[in-house]
Amino acid sequence: MKVKCKTGRWVVRMAMWLPLVVLSVVAPLSARAQADELAALRKDFPGLTERYGARLESRTAHYIFAIDISNSMKQYEQTVRNSLISFVNAVPDGDQISIIVMADRKQTDFLDNIMCATLNDAVRRAIVEALRSPRFSFSKDGSDGYTMTSRVLEAMNAVGSSDLTFIYMLTDFEYWTSEHRFDKRAEDWASLKSRLSEKHRGSLCKYGIELNFDKVKHPEAIFKPELDMIFGQLDYRQASSATLLSQWFGHIIDNIRANKINAMLKADWKMFVDSVNLRAKVANQQLKFRYDGPDTALVNGCRIVSTRMGNSHFCQADSAAGKLGKWTELGDYNYKRTFLPGWKKIPADSAEVALQLQSPYRDEIALLQALCNEDVASPDAVRLDYSTTVPVASKYTWNAKWHWAWWLLIVLVILVALAALVYMLFQHPENRSMNIIVRRDYDSFNKFVTGMPVTIGHGGDLAVDGAGWRLRLEAKRYYPLFFWNKTGYYVTLEEGLNAEVVSMIDNRTLTSVNLQGTTLLFPFNHSCLNYVKISEGGTVSKIEVTC
């Protein structure tokens, strides 16, 4: 008895310490497994892990499963049950889960009130028990997609629900209720859209797993368009057999952390894309494109591969590198130019542009999408290469082969030439009235004349007694643009030895005139600037002309 008593006490003590021993072994193994998984992620995705790794450890996710448990899904029952149990056991503590079963209206609800349940060991046991109970039996009638969607939104809006949300809808998406039969239009789907909060839109991953998709008999009852209207485009995957469905579950279980990174990446990408402004314009015979977006490390440039205008105008660029916030020239805008100057109205059009966004994470994003089985064609996927259509506003553009600046220069030259010609035609220096005075020490000779030319001195129109010289004063007109020849009054020494043109301002000799030589006396409209000085036999003659 004594031995038995000791043995009993030993068994009791072992029973008390066993959970702690198990915990001390399992916990380090779990932590080590998480560390190994994170190390593997860092090896494959060094940049993305650096960007999201710190958030990954504290980032909780909410997994919402909406499962069709009608009779038509019976072949998937065991696969869904086993896969959900494996999924619940694989998800780390702190993450949340909601399980919605869908049948007819009164039977569509949360399985055993599993709504936004934060996972720990006790919650896992409760979920596993509910999944193994008869309540999770694919034996119901109906497929009330409207109520199912309402329950999904209810789970998302629950207090404490993580904004990083994964929605998995497993059904054939064919609406049927005992009340409305196949008439999905009897429901007010639009009223559900407003219940999706903004905090979830940027961190929402939604998948539609199509079961029995080849057995749908009422296409008009398919409610996928309504789901896309409420949540945004779902990523639809087809599972034609329980085996394929099991493989899909195994895939998402193995890559929970990668899926979290992918979800955070897609949320950041959506914020970037929603803020992007794409513009195109025609300027200086060039089709130009501008890509404006917020500062983000995800994108550091872009390359424009090709372009095409919609209304038969074509513009091709082999490859044009561009920067965010900068206009990038794509090539000549193709329209028939004329030789003569003129403006052409470019009608409103659209440009098709193929873009390659440059990102330091390009290779990692492609690998992550492959690992997460991400469909790059889905609307919410991160797409660095895509084509888009950008409107081009109507405008007038220069249509001549020569640049408008050359034509402007030509017009200015013509106007200046015409103005100079008109000026020359209307100026008449030869018809001006002039007073000519010849001053000597002892006398002076004066003559008022109208019209040119006139001779002064020996035998001239203005005779000077005893003069052995003769000057000819005449007006000459020159085209103003020939600036080296000035329109004005010129003096020619027809007789005599020498004459000088002297400034009336400072009595400085400006030029000398020899026999038969001609020089400018003063320009037209600048009279009394200069005079002619002639010295002969000790007599100095000073010839002044006043207009």
Side-chain angles (χ1 to χ4, degrees), residues 191-259:
S191 65
L192 299 179
K193 185 176 182 180
S194 61
R195 293 173 56 186
L196 181 61
S197 63
E198 284 300 321
K199 81 164 187 173
H200 285 103
R201 289 185 185 277
S203 303
L204 182 61
C205 297
K206 55 274 184 188
Y207 300 89
I209 313 305
E210 297 186 74
L211 310 178
N212 283 355
F213 58 90
D214 56 343
K215 297 181 180 179
V216 172
K217 297 181 180 179
H218 293 271
E220 75 280 2
I222 297 296
F223 55 89
K224 291 196 293 185
E226 286 72 19
L227 293 175
D228 295 340
M229 178 268 297
I230 295 169
F231 297 103
Q233 181 72 42
L234 270 71
D235 185 359
Y236 293 99
R237 307 292 174 87
Q238 293 181 346
S240 57
S241 66
T243 301
L244 290 177
L245 181 60
S246 178
Q247 292 175 356
W248 177 83
F249 262 105
H251 186 80
I252 64 171
I253 290 171
D254 290 340
N255 299 293
I256 289 176
R257 287 174 177 266
N259 274 280

Side-chain angles (χ1 to χ4, degrees), residues 115-417:
M115 181 186 72
C116 196
T118 301
L119 288 173
N120 54 40
D121 290 341
V123 172
R124 285 189 181 88
R125 287 194 295 270
I127 293 175
V128 171
E129 181 181 348
L131 291 172
R132 287 174 174 167
S133 70
R135 297 183 295 280
F136 192 69
S137 173
F138 288 35
S139 58
K140 307 296 190 296
D141 293 327
S143 180
D144 187 0
Y146 179 84
T147 302
M148 177 202 74
T149 306
S150 178
R151 293 292 182 268
V152 170
L153 291 167
E154 185 178 343
M156 294 175 64
N157 294 328
V159 176
S161 173
S162 173
D163 60 330
L164 179 55
T165 306
F166 294 83
I167 300 175
Y168 304 103
M169 299 182 182
L170 287 70
T171 175
D172 59 4
F173 298 96
E174 184 181 39
Y175 175 89
W176 189 93
T177 65
S178 57
E179 182 179 2
H180 301 299
R181 309 291 291 177
F182 294 101
D183 187 11
K184 67 175 182 177
R185 295 173 300 178
E187 307 285 9
D188 186 10
W189 297 89
S191 65
L192 299 179
K193 185 176 182 180
S194 61
R195 293 173 56 186
L196 181 61
S197 63
E198 284 300 321
K199 81 164 187 173
H200 285 103
R201 289 185 185 277
S203 303
L204 182 61
C205 297
K206 55 274 184 188
Y207 300 89
I209 313 305
E210 297 186 74
L211 310 178
N212 283 355
F213 58 90
D214 56 343
K215 297 181 180 179
V216 172
K217 297 181 180 179
H218 293 271
E220 75 280 2
I222 297 296
F223 55 89
K224 291 196 293 185
E226 286 72 19
L227 293 175
D228 295 340
M229 178 268 297
I230 295 169
F231 297 103
Q233 181 72 42
L234 270 71
D235 185 359
Y236 293 99
R237 307 292 174 87
Q238 293 181 346
S240 57
S241 66
T243 301
L244 290 177
L245 181 60
S246 178
Q247 292 175 356
W248 177 83
F249 262 105
H251 186 80
I252 64 171
I253 290 171
D254 290 340
N255 299 293
I256 289 176
R257 287 174 177 266
N259 274 280
K260 283 187 176 183
I261 288 181
N262 190 40
M264 290 187 284
L265 171 65
K266 289 167 65 175
D268 288 351
W269 184 255
K270 185 177 186 303
M271 292 177 60
F272 171 75
V273 171
D274 288 346
S275 302
V276 161
N277 183 22
L278 308 177
R279 287 184 287 168
K281 69 177 182 179
V282 176
N284 299 327
Q285 288 83 47
Q286 292 277 337
L287 178 62
K288 297 185 177 183
F289 181 81
R290 181 165 176 156
Y291 193 95
D292 289 315
D295 291 335
T296 175
L298 294 176
V299 177
N300 56 11
C302 63
R303 180 165 291 278
I304 303 168
V305 179
S306 63
T307 62
R308 186 174 67 84
M309 298 297 289
N311 296 335
S312 75
H313 300 295
F314 183 78
C315 180
Q316 178 71 40
D318 293 336
S319 184
K323 294 182 178 180
L324 299 184
K326 300 289 185 181
W327 285 105
T328 302
E329 294 183 357
L330 307 184
D332 289 334
Y333 184 76
N334 188 22
Y335 55 85
K336 187 176 181 180
R337 297 182 178 87
T338 60
F339 175 76
L340 295 177
W343 294 89
K344 178 183 178 66
K345 183 179 181 180
I346 303 297
D349 208 339
S350 59
E352 294 183 9
V353 183
L355 285 172
Q356 290 181 347
L357 298 182
Q358 298 170 352
S359 172
Y361 307 106
R362 171 178 282 272
D363 294 339
E364 292 183 35
I365 290 174
L367 181 60
L368 181 66
Q369 289 174 334
L371 182 66
C372 296
N373 201 20
E374 178 81 37
D375 185 359
V376 294
S378 63
D380 61 343
V382 177
R383 290 186 297 162
L384 295 173
D385 302 337
Y386 67 98
S387 297
T388 185
T389 300
V390 187
V392 181
S394 173
K395 67 167 295 181
Y396 284 90
T397 188
W398 186 249
N399 194 42
K401 293 182 178 179
W402 289 0
H403 194 274
W404 62 267
W406 287 107
W407 282 106
L408 179 61
L409 180 61
I410 292 172
V411 170
L412 289 176
V413 169
I414 293 175
L415 290 177
V416 170

